[in-house]
Amino acid sequence: MKQMSHLDNIPSTPGKFKMEKSPYIHRLRWHSSLAKLTFWSLVFLGLIFLFFFRSPSNPLPSDPSRRSLRTYTGFVGTHVSSALKRRGDGVLGLDSFNDYYDPSLKRARQALLERTGVFIVEGDINDSALLKKLFEVVAFTHVMHLAAQAGVRYAMENPGSYVHSNIAGLVNLLEVCKSVNPQPAIVWASSSSVYGLNSKVPFSEKDRTDQPASLYAATKKAGEEIAHTYNHIYGLSLTGLRFFTVYGPWGRPDMAYFFFTRDILKGKSISIFEAANHGTVARDFTYIDDIVKGCLAALDTAEKSTGSGGKKKGPAQLRVFNLGNTSPVPVSDLVSILERLLKVKAKRNIMKLPRNGDVQFTHANISLAQRELGYKPTTDLQTGLKKFVRWYLSYYSGGKKAAG
């Protein structure tokens, strides 16, 4: 992927690569450093203005001390950022805008957010210097870490991107967060995929998560272990959220509900998987508005980190919650709902569930989130898909956009 291209210039044996030095090179470096210093000074002066003085329709923050950094302004990040800004929180976004899926959709989300007063910095979470500069400018009280390489099947094509984003990126972010003073409280996106090959349902936070069915799931499980480590050693307050098949307007084109809609409208056949012995494949589809409520509740109940200067001062909060809908729906029923909403009959191609990381079903036990966060999903699949289809037809109408 493009975001890894900077690795191409690193010598294969670190420490053995040397360049001949010259006065000319020193002059170039001095001018380059001066130019960079001037550039970053202008950028961060602009950030200060945008973060603190650019206001949405609600000009008076409900709590001016709350300053949140979004590490990804994709599908979930866009909705969470908008909700935070509407209630008066200070929000700054960070996104690499990579080309895993249609970058124009990502830029449209960016434009939507900036109209509401949420500024987006373009950058990679693996860029330590950038993250440190952001924390130097703004003393963030909370970090909502949603950046990740998503998708189960893509891991078979580009496994390195999952390690780069989901493991190295998380470690880099936590390294920066543990060193700043004060340390922020961190809420981050894990995944229901960590339950892997579990056959016990519904999935509970107490269930085993040591049988991942995909590399994506393995990296999310690794993330949970990494979070435990940084909580234990450095006193970072960390809350992991295991999302269950999130869908809705401004969603990801690589999700089944999204590309089913596209292909049904284009008259293309769609592949519907079934398990062994004609078993049903089902998902606990969770509407984006319900997920946003869970994310905000996690932020609002997050306790302060207890470390300072990279040293732990006392026990810190460490939590994991399921955020699902608790009502698994067969994928075939999802297609039937889309047919009714689109008024088009789907060309169904029934296939055996491939061994590519997909699991037969997901089902969330949300009793812990209900008790600790007050989380209560209210949107059924019929209602949620109706809202998605309305957005989809509007966004891609009149030939304005090309849907895949």
Side-chain angles (χ1 to χ4, degrees), residues 45-61:
L45 281 173
L47 283 181
I48 292 173
F49 172 79
L50 287 161
F51 192 80
F52 292 107
F53 300 106
R54 184 175 174 178
S55 61
S57 57
N58 175 14
L60 296 175

Side-chain angles (χ1 to χ4, degrees), residues 47 51 66-97 113 116-125 130-131 134-135 138 140-148 173 177 184-189 239 241 243 291-292 294-300 302:
L47 283 181
F51 192 80
R66 290 182 61 88
R67 304 181 184 114
S68 299
L69 171 65
R70 303 274 82 61
T71 63
Y72 174 57
T73 48
F75 172 34
V76 177
T78 295
H79 287 271
V80 171
S81 297
S82 295
L84 286 170
K85 196 64 178 180
R86 281 195 302 270
R87 75 178 194 180
D89 285 25
V91 184
L92 179 66
L94 176 66
D95 201 315
S96 67
F97 295 100
L113 283 176
T116 68
V118 178
F119 182 72
I120 313 300
V121 175
E122 185 168 353
D124 193 321
I125 56 170
L130 173 59
L131 293 183
L134 291 175
F135 274 96
V138 181
F140 295 106
T141 59
H142 297 74
V143 171
M144 186 77 193
H145 175 49
L146 299 168
L173 175 68
C177 289
I186 303 164
V187 177
W188 69 286
T239 301
L241 303 177
F243 295 153
I291 289 293
V292 168
C295 289
L296 267 60
L299 285 169
D300 292 342

